[in-house]
Amino acid sequence: MYRGGTPPAAVAGSAVRLAGFAPHGAMTLLALIACALCLRLGLWQWHRWLASDAAWTRFARGADAVQPLGPRAPEEVALFQRVSVAGRLDGRHQFLLDNRSYQGRPGYEVLTPLVRAGSAALLVDRGWVAFTGSRARLPDVGLEDEPGVTVSGRVAELPSAGLASGHAPPGAADPWPKVTSFPDIAELAAALGAPLAPRILLLDPDASFGFVRDWRPPGMSPLRHLSYAIQWWCLGALAVIVWAVMSARRGARHE
């Protein structure tokens, strides 16, 4: 119970004013939220940097040597590993992956099944072809059935939509080659009527029956993710600095 003298609240207020520092409650809350949000976003970009750096490292290491795939499934080797595999290229049943661009130009990527004895067929990405200017006129990607061929390339995943939209599985009644946008392997297998390996093969650039094959690691450069992480953390630090400066000025006005 208070019995006279200087009230405790006044003593506390005087201490804050003497220190020249008087943070406002609402401003403090906003600064904490901003700082926590920037910290969270920075950590998100940090983890994306780690994942991207690992993917780019795998991509670089995958070119060191070509491994014969043999009867193994492509998921049994490291992602982006170069492999050689024998089979029959089925030129009558091909897919055109829509919404694929190269150097700013729209086009398709051509997926051709490689039929393997005793194993699921493997889709071979033969590269990028330009859009003809009309959906009614598809590019010429014709390929005679090639029995007993050995192809080499990198083991990869099907392209994913990411932030893009426009998922469209191949239509069952559509003629071959079937146009599709960001499908999954199950949808392609259903359209083909045969099992498919869960990964694809990015055909080596020196193969004679391909198109544009300027293969690059997936996603943006790892350094961009790292720079974004640093930027978010700097913004969080800036929020703290602005809060401290505003609180100091408010304390000075109260002195």
Side-chain angles (χ1 to χ4, degrees), residues 1-253:
M1 180 177 178
Y2 174 62
R3 298 182 181 277
T6 305
V11 172
S14 298
V16 170
R17 286 195 292 272
L18 286 174
F21 196 77
H24 190 279
M27 185 171 61
T28 301
L29 180 61
L30 287 175
L32 286 173
I33 293 174
C35 190
L37 180 61
C38 290
L39 177 63
R40 179 71 175 179
L41 290 171
L43 287 173
W44 172 59
Q45 286 292 343
W46 175 267
H47 290 299
R48 293 196 67 185
W49 168 64
L50 293 176
S52 179
D53 186 64
W56 280 49
T57 300
R58 285 196 303 269
F59 192 89
R61 290 177 177 172
D64 291 344
V66 179
Q67 296 183 9
L69 188 61
R72 293 179 296 170
E75 62 270 24
E76 294 180 38
V77 301
L79 196 63
F80 306 126
Q81 173 63 50
R82 287 186 67 221
V83 299
S84 61
V85 55
R88 176 179 62 85
L89 284 171
D90 183 3
R92 293 174 297 175
H93 302 98
Q94 301 189 85
F95 299 98
L96 295 179
L97 290 184
D98 203 355
N99 297 316
R100 307 300 293 165
S101 63
Y102 177 70
Q103 296 182 347
R105 300 170 58 199
Y108 310 89
E109 285 185 27
V110 184
L111 297 181
T112 305
L114 180 73
V115 182
R116 306 166 61 199
S119 301
L122 175 64
L123 288 175
V124 177
D125 191 333
R126 297 202 287 135
W128 177 89
V129 291
F131 177 56
T132 62
S134 171
R135 294 288 180 183
R137 182 166 53 90
L138 296 177
D140 182 11
V141 297
L143 178 71
E144 296 293 331
D145 278 12
E146 296 280 349
V149 298
T150 298
V151 299
S152 60
R154 292 176 180 268
V155 173
E157 304 282 1
L158 264 177
S160 60
L163 297 178
S165 59
H167 170 78
D174 293 346
W176 296 96
K178 293 181 183 289
V179 178
T180 179
S181 180
F182 301 116
D184 58 36
I185 286 292
E187 291 168 337
L188 297 180
L192 184 62
L196 287 171
R199 288 179 174 173
I200 66 173
L201 188 75
L202 304 179
L203 186 65
D204 276 347
D206 57 358
S208 60
F209 47 86
F211 304 99
V212 178
R213 285 152 290 165
D214 187 13
W215 306 126
R216 297 179 182 274
M220 66 176 67
S221 166
L223 288 179
R224 290 186 64 182
H225 288 297
L226 180 60
S227 66
Y228 290 156
I230 294 173
Q231 289 175 21
W232 281 118
W233 290 333
C234 288
L235 286 174
L238 181 61
V240 174
I241 292 171
V242 170
W243 167 79
V245 170
M246 297 297 291
S247 298
R249 289 180 177 177
R250 186 169 182 266
R253 287 197 300 270

